[in-house]
């Protein structure tokens, strides 16, 4: 885990590589637990707040777990729940993109 003293371009580059790998396999998340929708909403809300407050340390520490969890939750749900979780997943990827943009990296590679 990074703390604010460790937040430098080299450390961020390694964490962005992890986020990039998540983007590469967005439709095949690794197995793991999935919290209930209200808990995911709270986690996503904290992520959005961290993005808006430029708390990159929080984001780098939480997005590698949150993105696969939201993906699993979305793939396991349907109807209105699926739409809500998809919206949360977009917010998580938006936070990942904010980190990459801040430090001059790309999350998504054009193939």
């Amino acid at each position: 885990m990074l703390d604010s003293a460790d937040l430098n371009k080299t450390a961020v580059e390694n964490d962005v590589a992890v986020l990039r790998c998540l983007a590469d396999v967005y439709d095949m998340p690794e197995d793991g637990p999935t919290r209930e929708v209200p808990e995911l909403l709270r986690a996503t809300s904290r992520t959005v707040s961290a993005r808006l407050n430029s708390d990159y340390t929080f984001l780098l520490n939480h997005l590698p777990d949150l993105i696969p969890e939201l993906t699993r939750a979305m793939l396991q749900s349907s109807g209105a729940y699926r739409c809500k979780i998809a919206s949360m997943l977009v917010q998580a990827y938006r936070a990942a993109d904010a980190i990459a943009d801040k430090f001059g990296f790309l999350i998504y590679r054009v193939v």
Side-chain angles (χ1 to χ4, degrees):
M1 277 198 188
L2 285 174
D3 62 25
S4 56
D6 294 329
L7 198 58
N8 62 56
K9 191 165 182 170
T10 302
V12 171
E13 185 173 21
N14 294 332
D15 289 314
V16 167
V18 171
L19 296 174
R20 187 177 290 134
C21 288
L22 293 176
D24 288 344
V25 295
Y26 74 94
D27 58 340
M28 298 180 303
E30 59 187 52
D31 290 335
T34 303
R35 293 174 279 181
E36 298 292 324
V37 172
E39 292 177 65
L40 291 173
L41 278 167
R42 284 190 291 279
T44 303
S45 178
R46 285 191 304 271
T47 299
V48 169
S49 293
R51 178 181 59 82
L52 294 174
N53 291 311
S54 302
D55 188 349
Y56 301 114
T57 301
F58 177 89
L59 295 173
L60 287 168
N61 287 329
H62 289 86
L63 286 172
D65 293 327
L66 182 61
I67 289 173
E69 182 179 13
L70 287 169
T71 305
R72 284 190 300 274
M74 184 187 70
L75 294 173
Q76 295 168 359
S77 62
S78 62
Y81 281 120
R82 186 178 182 108
C83 290
K84 184 62 179 172
I85 296 167
S87 176
M88 289 186 272
L89 185 57
V90 167
Q91 291 300 318
Y93 273 117
R94 187 171 180 201
D97 184 64
I99 296 165
D101 184 61
K102 169 68 177 173
F103 292 94
F105 300 112
L106 294 174
I107 288 288
Y108 311 103
R109 292 180 258 211
V110 178
V111 181

